[in-house]
Amino acid sequence: MPTILFAAPALWSEYRDPLPAALAEAGLSDARLVTEADPAEVDYIIYAPASPLQDFTPYSRAKAVLNLWAGVERIVGNPTLTQPLCRMVDPGLTEGMVEWVVGHTLRHHLGMDRHIVNPGHVWDPTCPPLARERPVTILGMGALGSACAAALRALNFPVTGWSRTAKPGSLHGEDGLRQALSRAAILVTLLPKTPETENLLNADRLALLPRGAVILNPGRGALIDDEALLAALESGQVGQATLDVFRVEPLPPDHPYWSHPKVTVTPHIAADTRAVTAARVIAENIRRGEAGEPFLHLVDRGRGY
Ligand code: NAP
């Protein structure tokens, strides 16, 4: 009978029903799910970035720390964490991200703003091009990037993907990045925050985009050099940006992004972990741990994601 510590108190009300149900579905109805425990008795820790638990040293018996978030940058460098760390790959979260990316891509592709805000009642019959004529590049072809690519391709957008390692049908490496940026009418960033990806979109790389390209960033704020983006928006090199994530969240009230006419701010809502589906992922990983099977979605500490 494993003891499972739910160490994300702010989320307990969301998970208190779905988790026992998912554990029972996974054949673990005898598991002890608690919000407080003697560290020496804990077998699994369910964690979220704002968790008060920051010192993992006393949890010497824990077989894994199971993160409720897809991004792990706020835990992966914790020096007290020696237990295996699993991140969240939640079908509900992926669906949400696909909807956000497709929705904002279509907004920019169809030029919807012109018609939604049209105080002068201008009759402009300019028809947008077809999706097949609007190349989209996705930086980061992992769980989320590849799902967004599939959805956009289904709408006929020509999608170029770029990631760290070689994958069929997607680019990698510095040359690959140059190619991927140079063809991006719309650029979507779905990379994790790591030392390698921080400020990936700097002035030099923004200059590689076709003039007037649109940027959608639902990945992490630190992927973009904010000063460089503001300058590129000013010069017209970048046409518009829709940003969901920021270096400081909530975005400070005086941040230039709030009032910039070419920037849309969404408050880190592109994709949330959904308790019912996420609880099944957690339960499956605990089942695996108990059966001695490899964990799903194990984080590689060396890579940082
Ligand atoms: P994932 O499955 O781990 O995929 C990450 C992708 O990024 C992989 O394709 C990886 O390449 C690539 N990558 C990592 N480091 C790279 C580098 N240095 N150069 C080039 N490519 C690199 O992650 P995911 O589940 O798709 O999530 C991606 C990110 O989305 C998360 O880390 C998080 O920051 C963000 N996110 C945001 C929200 C939101 O609400 N806004 C919600 C969830 C997640 P390889 O495949 O070659 O390893």
Side-chain angles (χ1 to χ4, degrees), residues 87 141-144 162-165 167 192 218 220 244 271 305:
R87 69 190 198 93
M141 289 291 280
L144 299 177
W162 180 79
S163 47
R164 194 178 53 88
T165 54
K167 297 183 201 303
R220 281 292 180 260
D244 185 57
Y305 68 97

Side-chain angles (χ1 to χ4, degrees), residues 39-74:
E41 290 176 3
V42 172
D43 297 292
Y44 300 91
I45 300 171
I46 301 175
Y47 178 90
S51 172
L53 197 173
Q54 293 299 323
D55 181 6
F56 294 91
T57 319
Y59 295 87
S60 50
R61 170 188 165 117
K63 295 180 194 163
V65 174
L66 308 169
N67 199 33
L68 290 171
W69 280 28
V72 292
E73 71 274 10
R74 285 164 67 183

Side-chain angles (χ1 to χ4, degrees), residues 159-236:
V159 178
T160 299
W162 180 79
S163 47
R164 194 178 53 88
T165 54
K167 297 183 201 303
S170 104
L171 299 167
H172 69 285
E174 193 57 44
D175 270 359
L177 180 58
R178 270 195 286 275
Q179 282 181 57
L181 292 175
S182 66
R183 61 176 78 151
I186 298 179
L187 178 69
V188 183
T189 46
L190 271 168
L191 294 160
K193 181 190 169 201
T194 70
E196 284 74 42
T197 62
E198 189 148 7
N199 288 321
L200 187 99
L201 288 184
N202 57 20
D204 290 347
R205 299 226 175 84
L206 291 172
L208 296 172
L209 292 166
R211 192 165 173 79
V214 169
I215 295 180
L216 309 182
N217 182 20
R220 281 292 180 260
L223 303 176
I224 302 182
D225 175 336
D226 293 320
E227 292 305 315
L229 176 58
L230 287 164
L233 286 161
E234 204 52 46
S235 71

Side-chain angles (χ1 to χ4, degrees), residues 59-127:
Y59 295 87
S60 50
R61 170 188 165 117
K63 295 180 194 163
V65 174
L66 308 169
N67 199 33
L68 290 171
W69 280 28
V72 292
E73 71 274 10
R74 285 164 67 183
I75 181 175
V76 73
N78 184 322
T80 66
L81 180 71
T82 51
Q83 299 83 348
L85 170 66
C86 302
R87 69 190 198 93
M88 180 50 66
V89 178
D90 162 32
L93 183 149
T94 304
E95 263 181 71
M97 184 59 83
V98 168
E99 291 175 17
W100 189 96
V101 168
V102 170
H104 287 279
T105 298
L106 286 175
R107 168 194 164 196
H108 291 294
H109 166 62
L110 296 174
M112 288 181 187
D113 295 13
R114 276 189 308 145
H115 307 296
I116 293 170
V117 182
N118 186 2
H121 300 174
V122 177
W123 181 268
D124 174 2
T126 314
C127 210

